[in-house]
Amino acid sequence: MSPAATSTVSPRNEAFFIAKVAEEAERWDDAIASMKTVVSASRAHLSAEERNLVSVAYKNKTGTLRNSWRILDTLERRETAARPGTRGAALIRQARTRVERDLARACQDVLALISVQLLPAASPGEERVFYHKMQGDYYRYLYEIAAARERERYAQLSLEAYKTAYKHALGTLEAWHPTRLGLALNFAVYFRDVCASPVRACHLAKHAFDEALAALVRLPDDASRDSVMILQLLRDDLILWSSEISQADASGNGEAAA
């Protein structure tokens, strides 16, 4: 990657170049800071490549924190069960709380960026679906770590964002479109993880999968790779969730799963 001559590079292009360098170096905070400059310089009218880099930067930042939180949560539960009342569990809880705070701050940061700047400037179609999907994702991440008194609120906010995105996607995007398929995948995960309903997750995922397959004859070459990858993920999740439903039915808990 080589920048153009400094005298001909606009502040927006320079910030985007720095963000791409930060992406290659996996410096996600730096990438986010530079992309905020791009958002301001463009008045929040981002290209598809710029939108994707915003998404990638926040996804990687929060992904690392979510993984750390899960590990610490598991360790805390294990320590509490094995040695209740000992200092070890309290120390792990402190570490988990610090990660929780960092993750919540990162989620609130991207949600503010979307609601205050990106969505108000978004064009109908893919762009609007893209940002509402991101809202659904990050409210879902907040749900995962929230205290019991806040979980219902984040679950509802996530559901509203996904429903808005899906309704808009059905009216504006082809069934094979990667953004529509990615939304269907994450919305199905919401039903599985937040609602504990593999039945509803399977219903949504199968509908999206079948519609996309029926429309594959119209799939352009530049979308095929991403679309096929997401279809494979949908298929894998359908297999997993169908197995969960069968196991629940066999144990007599089918209604609970639904």
Side-chain angles (χ1 to χ4, degrees):
M1 195 166 22
S2 59
T6 304
S7 60
T8 63
V9 176
S10 69
R12 173 180 180 172
N13 290 341
E14 184 174 278
F16 186 54
F17 175 80
I18 294 171
K20 291 174 73 173
V21 170
E23 177 191 19
E24 291 190 17
E26 298 184 0
R27 297 274 297 176
W28 305 117
D29 285 333
D30 292 343
I32 288 168
S34 292
M35 288 312 300
K36 285 181 176 179
T37 299
V38 173
V39 171
S40 296
S42 66
R43 297 184 180 181
H45 294 287
L46 303 184
S47 67
E49 188 179 11
E50 290 167 343
R51 287 199 305 275
N52 286 334
L53 187 45
V54 170
S55 177
V56 166
Y58 276 107
K59 183 176 181 180
N60 279 279
K61 178 180 175 66
T62 57
T64 299
L65 291 168
R66 290 174 73 211
N67 187 54
S68 297
W69 187 89
R70 291 190 191 105
I71 292 170
L72 290 169
D73 186 58
T74 299
L75 290 174
E76 181 186 347
R77 292 172 187 273
R78 188 181 302 162
E79 184 71 16
T80 300
R83 288 173 284 276
T86 62
R87 179 66 174 159
L91 291 172
I92 297 171
R93 187 178 307 113
Q94 290 175 8
R96 176 183 57 77
T97 300
R98 286 194 295 271
V99 173
E100 202 169 276
R101 187 164 51 244
D102 290 343
L103 177 53
R105 188 180 298 118
C107 289
Q108 295 290 5
D109 183 46
V110 65
L111 286 166
L113 183 67
I114 294 167
S115 62
V116 175
Q117 297 188 68
L118 297 176
L119 260 178
S123 301
E126 180 185 5
E127 193 173 356
R128 188 167 294 279
V129 172
F130 188 93
Y131 293 139
H132 280 301
K133 172 188 169 295
M134 284 183 69
Q135 279 185 319
D137 292 341
Y138 286 97
Y139 280 128
R140 176 162 56 88
Y141 301 162
L142 285 170
Y143 165 88
E144 292 172 350
I145 62 170
R149 64 183 181 277
E150 297 179 305
R151 297 192 92 194
E152 181 58 34
R153 181 169 72 90
Y154 286 130
Q156 187 61 34
L157 287 169
S158 181
L159 177 60
E160 290 172 359
Y162 281 135
K163 285 172 67 176
T164 299
Y166 204 63
K167 181 179 179 181
H168 196 63
L170 292 176
T172 62
L173 301 179
E174 295 280 1
W176 49 257
H177 198 288
T179 299
R180 176 168 161 175
L181 286 172
L183 168 62
L185 175 64
N186 287 18
F187 199 0
V189 169
Y190 170 90
F191 284 125
R192 167 61 184 82
D193 292 352
V194 177
C195 301
S197 177
V199 171
R200 295 172 73 184
C202 276
H203 178 77
L204 193 154
K206 189 174 187 308
H207 181 265
F209 187 88
D210 290 345
E211 283 203 328
L213 282 184
L216 280 181
V217 292
R218 301 191 301 274
L219 181 65
D221 291 340
D222 59 355
S224 60
R225 182 177 178 182
D226 289 340
S227 296
V228 169
M229 181 182 69
I230 300 171
L231 283 169
Q232 290 172 342
L233 293 173
L234 280 168
R235 181 197 60 193
D236 292 345
D237 281 345
L238 277 167
I239 293 170
L240 175 63
W241 296 333
S242 296
S243 176
E244 291 180 0
I245 294 168
S246 297
Q247 291 173 11
D249 287 343
S251 63
N253 294 321
E255 286 298 315

